[in-house]
Amino acid sequence: MTTMQAQHSKGTRARVLLSGVFGPYAQDDEYGSRTINPMELYHNQVTRVQGPFSLRMFHRSFGLMMIQSNIDAPCTLIDFPTLDRFIEELRTNSYDIVGISSIIPNIGKVRKMCELVRRCQPRATIVVGGHVANVENIHDMIDADYVCKGEGIRWFRRYLGQDVDAPIRHPMVHSGFGARILGIKLPLRPGNTAAMLIPSVGCPVGCNFCSTSALFGGKGKFFNFYETGDDLFDVMCRIEKKLKVRSFFVMDENFLVHRKRALRLLELMEQHGKSWALFIFSSAGVLQSYRIDQLVGLGVSWVWMGLEGEESGYEKLRGIDTKSLVKELQSHGIRVLGSSIIGLETHRPENIDDVIDYAVSHDTDFHQFMLYTPIPGTPLYEQHKKAGTLIPQTDMPPADTHGQYRFNYRHKHIADNREEQYILEAFQRDFEINGPSVARLTATFLKGWQRYKDHPNKRIRDRFVWEVRPLRTMYAGAVWAMKKWYGRDARMEQKMDALLRDLYETFGLITRILAPLIGAYVYRSLKREAELLAGGWTHEPETLYEKNESARILEQSLKTSRRTAEKIVLSATQMGSSENI
């Protein structure tokens, strides 16, 4: 293995296979899958203990999709394969390059896949990338030819002899699939699911624990795929037309930090009357640097914001009243996913209850809790490595180092694996006190509608009209069902009742009539989902198989050649038979 990059001898004629690691995922197995660490972002780290109320959804391997869309070589992408399906692909089709992307806990699966490539296609070049590239001495753990650390498009373009600085072609893809909540499958219909938008990778803020920042160069480093608001607007228009969407999940670690680009995008949205909704990631300090009318004008309707913890000491939170900020955002209809850390240096058994209570008191629509975890490549990892406090992998394997289980280092104040219980207590307390996230986001949606339904700007008004439509029917029915569900919990039943009455008062007779009818169906669905979960049911993604245009052209050419060869053989056979006669 080497990190030095040559150019492939076949250039853009090389046949490329890109793959994520194989499933199933939500199980304990020899390759590194864990029941506690399913292939679901929300159910894994956000709505983990919310049972039938948990948001279930899968997200594509967007990095691989970006690479596939931006190389001229024939490229096949297999996402979420089973082990058997991956083997079948290697035995059925010939490839010159096999690229595998993974997070660190799945390094065992990467190792197995490399072994399979060597066995089935020994001439193929193996390239490994993703977060697993941050692992120290990875060349001793897996049999790969190259490790691609950081931005993969330029790496592959250089390897294939393409122009590394050519414009970026954005894949046309929805942000998620396989969504379900309250036991109800959410169909992937035009306009029903946000499109994925990736303007940049990396983060200038560079928190010491952030593996994504470390992957792309660390603090202050980032790479813009689209430098200007004009570039970004053009891409969004194309995605809107192709996928028939009005909302975008912006996969950018700190989208608003690129202020000039964001404000230019706002100008263009205003000029062209675009009532788009944006779901973004942002640090609190950057978020607070914008006026609320600018955020609403940009269509920011959902924000993932790091709260980290009281007295965390991070510059991005210095001097900011995060509780007030969350409340202000929600009052304008902006849903907030707050992210808090369990196990900071100042956390100890004596104050952990206060730590959890502080996080829960934000009453965000969603709340992520993660253990303070030194991931390879991050400054936090180097700090613990230097101090000699990292736990050997023989005692804490990478498969269990995912931030939802235990520390991979010796904490100054928290011992005896108590962190496992602390993080569960955090999730449970947030759920018990603030209720299901689906109810919280309903309340925030409603606040936005009440505030902006008569807004003088039609563009702003139209977005809220569009976003609020489900509140009149399905969401109202869901709240009715949740009120019934909590019949033996007086405090939570009262909370659901107050929200339901607010919905009735806002939307009137039709909602009063439909909510009980829809709610009865939702309640039965909730009960079925709870029974499934109690029986050990897990949610797994389907395997997705896609070829880029070059691969489709090559495939068609090969089919034509085969048909021609078959005709020649058949003709020769017939001539031979005639001569014999």
Side-chain angles (χ1 to χ4, degrees):
M1 179 194 300
T2 179
T3 54
M4 295 297 292
Q5 187 182 1
Q7 183 174 316
H8 197 280
S9 59
K10 291 188 177 181
T12 55
R13 294 182 295 107
R15 297 184 65 186
V16 181
L17 173 66
L18 299 177
S19 179
V21 295
F22 60 85
Y25 308 97
Q27 65 175 29
D28 296 321
D29 67 22
E30 61 184 298
Y31 301 113
S33 282
R34 294 292 185 265
T35 303
I36 197 176
N37 190 33
M39 187 64 78
E40 301 177 74
L41 175 61
Y42 292 99
H43 187 66
N44 181 340
Q45 303 175 9
V46 182
T47 54
R48 176 177 164 182
V49 303
Q50 294 191 22
F53 301 103
S54 182
L55 176 59
R56 316 297 298 266
M57 182 186 296
F58 304 110
H59 297 87
R60 294 295 307 273
S61 299
F62 299 117
L64 294 181
M65 298 188 78
M66 288 289 285
I67 294 171
Q68 184 191 39
S69 298
N70 286 279
I71 59 176
D72 296 333
C75 181
T76 299
L77 169 61
I78 185 167
D79 218 354
F80 311 111
T82 62
L83 183 57
D84 288 343
R85 180 64 185 84
F86 183 71
I87 294 172
E88 177 190 356
E89 184 63 25
L90 293 177
R91 289 177 174 171
T92 304
N93 297 292
S94 177
Y95 293 100
D96 301 296
I97 303 167
V98 178
I100 303 166
S101 179
S102 174
I103 58 173
I104 294 174
N106 287 323
I107 192 170
K109 295 193 173 190
V110 176
R111 182 186 303 115
K112 178 65 176 179
M113 294 173 80
C114 289
E115 292 171 359
L116 289 168
V117 176
R118 293 293 188 223
R119 187 187 313 161
C120 299
Q121 304 211 20
R123 295 183 179 180
T125 298
I126 301 176
V127 182
V128 170
H131 287 278
V132 74
N134 271 337
V135 173
E136 289 183 299
N137 301 320
I138 188 173
H139 57 279
D140 295 330
M141 303 178 188
I142 61 172
D143 181 13
D145 297 292
Y146 294 101
V147 171
C148 171
K149 182 177 180 179
E151 196 275 297
I153 295 174
R154 294 169 66 88
W155 193 98
F156 265 90
R157 282 178 167 176
R158 186 177 294 110
Y159 188 47
L160 296 170
Q162 294 180 220
D163 178 6
V164 297
D165 296 317
I168 298 296
R169 298 187 290 264
H170 201 289
M172 304 289 168
V173 59
H174 290 98
S175 60
F177 70 99
R180 63 188 288 137
I181 192 168
L182 309 176
I184 299 171
K185 295 180 181 179
L186 305 181
L188 190 61
R189 295 172 180 163
N192 195 46
T193 304
M196 178 53 60
L197 179 67
I198 309 177
S200 313
V201 290
C203 179
V205 176
C207 296
N208 68 333
F209 58 84
C210 182
S211 59
T212 303
S213 176
L215 182 64
F216 295 103
K219 187 178 181 66
K221 302 294 181 60
F222 60 93
F223 184 84
N224 284 336
F225 294 132
Y226 304 101
E227 291 284 349
T228 69
D230 297 80
D231 293 337
L232 198 56
F233 181 78
D234 288 343
V235 169
M236 294 170 75
C237 287
R238 291 199 297 272
I239 296 174
E240 175 190 42
K241 183 177 180 180
K242 176 70 174 179
L243 298 182
K244 296 179 172 57
V245 296
R246 292 183 61 171
S247 56
F248 298 85
F249 192 105
V250 186
M251 184 63 76
D252 186 310
E253 289 296 302
N254 212 332
F255 174 66
L256 296 175
V257 78
H258 305 283
R259 189 177 185 87
K260 184 177 179 180
R261 183 177 65 186
L263 293 180
R264 175 56 180 161
L265 176 62
L266 172 58
E267 288 180 11
L268 292 167
M269 288 174 64
E270 290 173 338
Q271 289 174 18
H272 296 271
K274 295 296 185 182
S275 297
W276 291 332
L278 305 186
F279 309 151
I280 69 169
F281 296 81
S282 179
S283 57
V286 172
L287 196 65
Q288 201 170 55
S289 71
Y290 286 77
R291 302 191 311 270
I292 195 68
D293 64 290
Q294 291 174 323
L295 297 177
V296 173
L298 269 168
V300 174
S301 64
W302 184 97
V303 60
W304 190 312
M305 179 173 65
L307 303 174
E308 317 316 359
E310 193 171 17
E311 300 178 354
S312 63
Y314 289 101
E315 184 64 33
K316 65 183 182 180
L317 295 167
R318 195 175 303 280
I320 297 175
D321 182 347
T322 52
K323 291 184 186 180
S324 296
L325 178 57
V326 168
K327 187 175 181 180
E328 171 70 4
L329 294 170
Q330 290 174 327
S331 72
H332 290 269
I334 300 175
R335 291 151 285 162
V336 180
L337 193 161
S339 180
S340 295
I341 294 174
I342 301 296
L344 291 170
E345 290 90 344
T346 57
H347 294 177
R348 58 188 72 206
E350 300 79 41
N351 67 10
I352 198 68
D353 281 337
D354 292 336
V355 166
I356 295 173
D357 286 342
Y358 173 78
V360 171
S361 68
H362 285 79
D363 194 13
T364 54
D365 301 270
F366 294 89
H367 210 125
Q368 177 193 45
F369 291 96
M370 293 290 287
L371 293 178
Y372 198 41
T373 305
I375 301 296
T378 64
L380 184 61
Y381 183 88
E382 292 303 317
Q383 173 188 327
H384 281 280
K385 179 183 176 183
K386 185 177 181 180
T389 51
L390 292 172
I391 297 174
Q393 289 188 6
T394 51
D395 298 324
M396 188 63 188
D400 292 317
T401 307
H402 47 70
Q404 291 292 316
Y405 180 42
R406 290 179 183 166
F407 295 139
N408 62 336
Y409 64 101
R410 293 187 298 277
H411 195 282
K412 288 182 179 180
H413 309 294
I414 300 173
D416 303 321
N417 301 323
R418 292 183 183 181
E419 68 275 12
E420 183 179 359
Q421 184 57 37
Y422 292 159
I423 193 168
L424 275 174
E425 286 179 5
F427 278 114
Q428 288 166 350
R429 202 174 304 175
D430 177 64
F431 182 41
E432 290 167 3
I433 292 175
N434 296 320
S437 285
V438 65
R440 299 183 226 174
L441 68 88
T442 299
T444 301
F445 262 137
L446 189 58
K447 291 172 186 174
W449 170 250
Q450 291 168 340
R451 187 165 200 146
Y452 289 99
K453 61 185 175 68
D454 298 318
H455 196 274
N457 187 324
K458 184 179 183 298
R459 187 180 71 87
I460 303 296
R461 194 169 63 248
D462 282 354
R463 175 169 69 85
F464 284 92
V465 168
W466 164 64
E467 285 191 318
V468 84
R469 285 180 302 173
L471 264 66
R472 303 173 186 271
T473 53
M474 285 303 300
Y475 280 79
V479 175
W480 187 96
M482 286 185 280
K483 178 187 173 184
K484 183 175 177 64
W485 181 274
Y486 283 111
R488 296 184 180 180
D489 182 337
R491 187 185 66 84
M492 195 58 67
E493 182 188 27
Q494 184 178 6
K495 188 171 184 174
M496 296 302 114
D497 181 64
L499 178 56
L500 187 60
R501 284 188 282 107
D502 206 356
L503 288 165
Y504 288 165
E505 184 177 341
T506 301
F507 298 118
L509 182 60
I510 295 297
T511 299
R512 287 179 181 272
I513 294 171
L514 292 178
L517 299 176
I518 296 171
Y521 167 76
V522 175
Y523 181 71
R524 290 193 298 271
S525 179
L526 263 172
K527 292 181 68 176
R528 286 194 302 270
E529 188 79 350
E531 291 169 0
L532 281 173
L533 293 172
W537 174 82
T538 58
H539 198 25
E540 294 285 345
E542 63 178 307
T543 299
L544 298 169
Y545 187 76
E546 298 158 344
K547 295 178 180 292
N548 67 0
E549 184 178 0
S550 296
R552 290 192 294 270
I553 291 172
L554 176 61
E555 184 177 50
Q556 186 58 46
S557 175
L558 292 174
K559 286 181 180 179
T560 302
S561 298
R562 282 195 295 268
R563 285 196 295 266
T564 301
E566 289 169 358
K567 287 179 181 179
I568 293 172
V569 171
L570 179 60
S571 177
T573 303
Q574 290 173 341
M575 289 178 64
S577 299
S578 299
E579 291 174 359
N580 290 335
I581 293 173

